[in-house]
Amino acid sequence: MLKKENKYFILDNPRKKGIRTFIKQNLIEIKSFIYKSLLDVSHPKITEKKYKVSVCAIFKNEAPYLKEWIEFNHLVGVEHFYMYNNNSEDDYLSVLNPYIEKGWITLVQWPHNQMQMESYKDCIKNFASETKWLGFIDIDEFIVPKSTDNIYDFLQPFERKRGAVIIYWRLYGSSGLIERDLKSSVAQDFTVCWPKYSDVGKCFYNTAFGFDFNTKKNSCLHHNFWANWHGINLPPVNIFDKICFGGRNVAKKEDFPIQINHYFTKSYKEYAIKRAKGDVYFKTNPHDEEYFYEHEMKCTSVDYSAYKYLIKLKLAMEKHD
């Protein structure tokens, strides 16, 4: 018997019920208490940096989506973008150049296939000193603050004692669209989503803490970032300040204060194009047609949280045409 969801989350990895799972979860709870105690006594030195919040993103042939993604995430408080180009063959430079000239983007050419985690580590090594917070998100992910209007206003209370914060996915489907005009807005076109949050999210790293480049705990650091304090690797907390590792995701309420809108499929034909173009992580993309429908069948709710930013987004898009 597998547990596929709980009150707040749809589980990415369904769990077996039984005594072994019960024991494992109790051990995780004990470790979580220890980790939280260590974080509570950590006091890293907070210094002013060039940026408050930046993101690192690796992209491949995503030119039609770059402009809106940059404008939306900048609108909610991302001050700088470290963009790693993974062998794109489209006209991405015509989109990025105006933002590079304005100083919003640092462009890095990254010709190494299936080396996404390595690009993130390269970004930490070379650019973490420039920004207080460094997030790791993809081009189909929009940060949507809800309790605040700016991501830094949300992250700042975590700054003195937390090394990384996970922001959960709100997963969106096709909204019944076979195809659409790619010049239209992703944030406006897609509103149909899963009824609960995914227990997967993306991490924002508090660069006042250190980073262990050798630990295996950071093998998938965009989802589960372990920061380092005085030589001790410590797991991330979530948006409710709960320790997260080993499948532990604790929520306080159904209305989450911030989310990442993950426009995973977009329209049916866009999903097909996405599968065909290659992937920055998987050598053979496992997201086939069956996976599309598996995802789509969970899309039974709507979420308009991004809509509060739409007027500002449209005006910013027009301004920077």
Side-chain angles (χ1 to χ4, degrees):
M1 186 73 175
L2 293 177
K3 183 178 181 180
K4 297 183 178 180
E5 60 185 89
N6 58 32
K7 183 177 180 181
Y8 302 107
F9 297 105
I10 292 176
L11 307 181
D12 187 59
N13 291 306
R15 298 173 196 155
K16 291 182 179 180
K17 295 180 180 181
I19 187 65
R20 293 181 66 180
T21 300
F22 177 79
I23 293 170
K24 181 181 178 181
Q25 291 303 311
N26 276 274
L27 289 173
I28 287 172
E29 291 298 322
I30 294 169
K31 289 182 179 179
S32 295
F33 175 80
I34 296 169
Y35 285 134
K36 189 70 174 290
S37 299
L38 289 169
L39 283 169
D40 284 342
V41 299
S42 68
H43 288 86
K45 185 178 180 181
I46 307 297
T47 60
E48 289 304 310
K49 297 187 176 182
K50 191 174 182 180
Y51 311 112
K52 291 182 175 68
V53 182
S54 303
V55 298
C56 176
I58 184 170
F59 66 96
K60 184 184 184 76
N61 295 328
E62 300 191 73
Y65 305 108
L66 292 174
K67 183 179 177 68
E68 182 184 6
W69 178 83
I70 292 165
E71 293 286 359
F72 190 99
N73 286 304
H74 186 264
L75 182 64
V76 302
V78 176
E79 295 177 324
H80 199 74
F81 301 84
Y82 300 100
M83 306 285 291
Y84 281 67
N85 172 43
N86 183 217
N87 300 315
S88 293
E89 298 173 337
D90 56 15
D91 193 20
Y92 70 94
L93 273 176
S94 67
V95 181
L96 296 188
N97 275 336
Y99 298 103
I100 294 171
E101 291 171 3
K102 290 199 304 183
W104 289 17
I105 289 175
T106 297
L107 178 63
V108 179
Q109 298 298 338
W110 190 257
H112 316 290
N113 288 324
Q114 285 76 56
M115 292 185 68
Q116 183 177 7
M117 295 306 112
E118 288 77 8
S119 73
Y120 294 156
K121 290 178 181 179
D122 182 84
C123 189
I124 293 168
K125 179 182 177 181
N126 292 308
F127 304 117
S129 61
E130 296 184 346
T131 186
K132 285 188 171 185
W133 290 91
L134 181 61
F136 304 90
I137 66 173
D138 297 330
I139 309 303
D140 59 1
E141 296 172 337
F142 290 26
I143 304 158
V144 182
K146 294 167 66 180
S147 63
T148 65
D149 297 329
N150 184 287
I151 185 173
Y152 185 65
D153 291 341
F154 181 80
L155 290 174
Q156 190 175 21
F158 295 91
E159 210 156 79
R160 294 203 170 272
K161 294 185 178 181
R162 303 295 181 253
V165 178
I166 294 175
I167 303 176
Y168 291 109
W169 276 340
R170 174 67 91 181
L171 275 160
Y172 288 77
S174 71
S175 289
L177 299 175
I178 295 290
E179 60 184 325
R180 69 185 186 100
D181 183 352
L182 297 187
K183 293 181 180 179
S184 64
S185 169
V186 170
Q188 182 169 350
D189 287 350
F190 300 104
T191 58
V192 183
C193 62
W194 289 9
K196 300 178 183 179
Y197 287 89
S198 169
D199 67 342
V200 175
K202 288 298 183 72
C203 288
F204 280 75
Y205 165 41
N206 176 4
T207 63
F209 283 74
F211 179 77
D212 182 351
F213 285 90
N214 298 313
T215 179
K216 292 181 180 179
K217 293 182 183 296
N218 279 321
S219 61
C220 203
L221 64 84
H222 56 329
H223 291 313
N224 198 27
F225 193 106
W226 289 64
N228 190 274
W229 178 71
H230 287 192
I232 304 170
N233 289 314
L234 298 169
V237 297
N238 69 8
I239 55 178
F240 298 107
D241 198 27
K242 302 296 184 181
I243 291 287
C244 290
F245 76 101
R248 183 181 192 267
N249 292 281
V250 180
K252 291 182 178 179
K253 56 184 179 178
E254 293 180 3
D255 185 21
F256 286 21
I258 189 170
Q259 63 195 41
I260 290 179
N261 284 13
H262 188 192
Y263 300 105
F264 175 68
T265 64
K266 301 186 182 74
S267 68
Y268 177 78
K269 289 192 176 179
E270 285 170 278
Y271 178 79
I273 293 169
K274 178 180 179 178
R275 286 173 51 206
K277 74 179 180 181
D279 191 83
V280 299
Y281 187 83
F282 297 105
K283 188 172 183 179
T284 301
N285 196 327
H287 298 147
D288 56 13
E289 182 122 340
E290 182 180 350
Y291 192 87
F292 171 86
Y293 288 114
E294 182 183 336
H295 178 282
E296 192 80 350
M297 291 302 106
K298 295 185 180 75
C299 292
T300 58
S301 294
V302 293
D303 187 323
Y304 292 96
S305 297
Y307 269 47
K308 71 175 185 174
Y309 299 104
L310 281 186
I311 295 298
K312 287 184 177 181
L313 174 65
K314 291 176 180 180
L315 292 174
M317 297 278 284
E318 290 177 2
K319 180 180 178 182
H320 297 139
D321 271 344

